Amino acid sequence: MLEAQDLACLKGDRLLFRDLAFRLQAGEMLRIAGPNGVGKTSLLRLVTGLALPEAGEVRWRGHCIRREREAFHGELLYLGHAPALNDLLSPLENLRFACAAGGDHVAEDDCVQALVRIGLENQLDLPARVLSQGQRRRVGLARLFLSARRPLWVLDEPFTALDVHAVADLAATLSAHCADGGCVMMTTHQDAPFARPPAVLDVGAFAC
Amino acid sequence: MLSTFLAVLRRDLLLAWRGRADVLVTLAFFVIVVCLFPFGVGAEPNQLRAIAPGVLWVAALLACLLSLHRLFAQDYADGTLEQLLLSREPAAVWVMAKVLAFWLSTGLPVIAVAPAMALLLDLEQGGLSVLVLSLTLGTPILTLLGAVGAALTLGLRGGGMLLALLVLPLFVPVLIFGAGAVEAEVSGSGALAHLLLLGGGLAGAVALAPWACAAALRISTE
């Protein structure tokens, strides 16, 4: 479904990687590996269309993502390094806004349930600034439960700051998404108990 | 499309309400700048009356500029901007919602206190309605032009200063026609021409600025 060819990424005046290619089929999970600074996050941003590649192109269902931007972004869920939380809003308000801004019509009850399921039932109405790092991360991840319709999940370090239980839950959620025919692409330095070990793409092998 | 617009508008108005200290700072800035002029040029009523339209307009323009750099800064820092750019709706839709919310929370309060400040400078009563009308047409143009500048300078070191340098020259025509409208009304030659030009400028800015702003945001976040 997702396919990249001859990707090259320029950051400042340094070429991070070139000739990078991969292919992701429905039901597959891809882990982007490599040491810090090799360009893992940059690769994810190229794949989501937030950044433009220096060379090469990314294709979704056979179409270049730049030409079919709206259709592609309707099927993509990207959770970046920053959890996209506003400190003045409660987790519930943040989550509802994230869904509405993305173009999903989600009922308030579903948002509450997603937050309860990820373990934030006592923090629903607190402003996000009083949450811990792990709890902030969870608010962002709660969107996964509301985005089953979006087949492609691109996650930047989703396991950071989570406790052991949350890591296991998240791994199960990601495995279930793949079992339903979705695809997941993520960066992580952590081992997680996936149902099936994900394929690994080492960006370091394409470094310049 | 409408639901995204409304979601962004509602959120930004809610944020403006929760952070209302920022709105009050803009308003206090406007009031203080206007109040400085009698101290600087002397409290001679005829002189104050003559400079009142220009003073009020420059103060409103600076108050608008003061908070412009905040328009996208928070969303850029916390990652919300990336999520908005990944929305399936065209970026101009939510940019327009953000600009509208910003104008409602910074431009509108300034317009509301402007008549009181005009009385302070002894502006003729007949000029008050034209002042409010010209500000109502003019400040949205300032906000729209400023939004493009804010998007271009997003994430730059010293972006606030650069933003001022970038957009102040663009504000000049709005200032000329805005202050000109009030002066024309007071001098009896009628403000219609000025107001129509401001209205035309507003229509053009509404049509073009959101697209320019969206393109600038894509460049800034890359």
Side-chain angles (χ1 to χ4, degrees):
Chain A
M1 290 168 100
L2 183 72
E3 174 176 21
Q5 273 181 347
D6 305 328
L7 279 186
C9 174
L10 192 70
K11 194 110 190 181
D13 49 6
R14 202 166 77 87
L15 198 59
L16 285 178
F17 52 78
R18 67 175 182 208
D19 297 335
L20 190 148
F22 66 87
R23 186 187 285 263
L24 193 59
Q25 300 293 352
E28 282 182 352
M29 194 186 294
L30 182 66
R31 190 185 134 194
I32 314 295
N36 293 129
V38 79
K40 298 189 292 295
T41 297
S42 301
L43 173 61
L44 293 191
R45 289 174 61 86
L46 291 186
V47 168
T48 57
L50 281 171
L52 297 179
E54 192 61 20
E57 66 173 9
V58 181
R59 278 194 229 113
W60 172 250
R61 299 189 195 277
H63 301 286
C64 176
I65 58 167
R66 291 192 59 198
R67 250 166 268 140
E68 304 270 321
R69 185 195 79 82
E70 291 179 13
F72 174 61
H73 283 164
E75 297 196 283
L76 163 78
L77 176 71
Y78 170 67
L79 297 183
H81 213 63
L85 291 192
N86 191 293
D87 283 346
L88 295 176
L89 300 177
S90 70
L92 183 58
E93 286 163 337
N94 270 306
L95 183 60
R96 286 195 66 187
F97 170 72
C99 292
D104 293 340
H105 300 282
V106 179
E108 180 160 0
D109 281 349
D110 295 335
C111 289
V112 173
Q113 271 169 17
L115 288 168
V116 169
R117 196 171 145 194
I118 205 146
L120 292 170
E121 63 269 31
N122 297 324
Q123 286 83 21
L124 286 179
D125 294 320
L126 292 178
R129 66 170 178 276
V130 303
L131 300 184
S132 73
Q133 281 304 319
Q135 287 172 329
R136 295 170 72 85
R137 178 57 66 172
R138 285 173 191 233
V139 179
L141 292 173
R143 252 194 100 187
L144 295 178
F145 299 133
L146 304 168
S147 307
R149 262 183 341 92
R150 295 176 177 241
L152 177 62
W153 290 359
V154 176
L155 312 173
D156 196 356
E157 297 286 352
F159 296 108
T160 314
L162 293 183
D163 61 37
V164 181
H165 281 296
V167 168
D169 281 351
L170 178 57
T173 308
L174 298 184
S175 299
H177 181 63
C178 289
D180 286 345
C183 16
V184 176
M185 189 174 169
M186 65 179 164
T187 62
T188 180
H189 293 286
Q190 219 169 323
D191 279 326
F194 293 112
R196 230 161 26 119
V200 175
L201 174 73
D202 187 359
V203 181
F206 302 93
C208 296
Chain B
M1 196 176 275
L2 193 65
S3 71
T4 304
F5 181 87
L6 290 176
V8 175
L9 183 66
R10 256 187 43 192
R11 167 183 180 268
D12 275 27
L13 287 176
L14 184 65
L15 284 176
W17 175 246
R18 297 221 172 131
R20 42 192 180 277
D22 290 339
V23 176
L24 288 177
V25 167
T26 308
L27 208 52
F29 179 82
F30 174 68
V31 171
I32 289 171
V33 168
V34 174
C35 290
L36 283 178
F37 277 86
F39 293 113
V41 301
E44 164 61 35
N46 281 327
Q47 197 173 10
L48 287 179
R49 202 176 298 139
I51 62 169
V55 168
L56 290 164
W57 253 94
V58 169
L61 183 151
L62 292 177
C64 179
L65 186 68
L66 184 71
S67 44
L68 259 180
H69 67 97
R70 281 193 285 112
L71 182 52
F72 299 111
Q74 182 61 40
D75 289 344
Y76 177 69
D78 67 23
T80 307
L81 202 57
E82 284 183 353
Q83 291 297 331
L84 284 169
L85 284 168
L86 291 177
S87 167
R88 90 185 73 172
E89 308 298 345
V93 171
W94 53 262
V95 165
M96 196 59 215
K98 285 193 82 70
V99 171
L100 178 60
F102 185 82
W103 178 76
L104 288 173
S105 59
T106 60
L108 208 53
V110 166
I111 296 174
V113 299
M117 301 320 291
L119 290 178
L120 188 81
L121 297 178
D122 202 26
L123 186 74
E124 280 175 38
Q125 303 273 332
L128 287 185
S129 56
V130 174
L131 174 70
V132 170
L133 201 58
S134 68
L135 284 173
T136 311
L137 288 172
T139 49
I141 308 180
L142 302 181
T143 311
L144 282 160
L145 291 176
V148 180
L152 281 172
T153 55
L154 198 58
L156 296 184
R157 204 156 27 86
M161 214 43 230
L162 192 59
L163 170 63
L165 288 179
L166 204 62
V167 298
L168 277 177
L170 300 176
F171 284 1
V172 171
V174 184
L175 178 64
I176 291 173
F177 292 116
V182 185
E183 264 158 28
E185 180 69 21
V186 171
S187 68
S189 59
L192 188 64
H194 291 87
L195 291 178
L196 285 176
L197 275 166
L198 278 180
L202 178 58
V206 166
L208 298 177
W211 300 99
C213 196
L217 284 173
R218 283 195 195 283
I219 295 169
S220 300
T221 52
E222 203 175 287

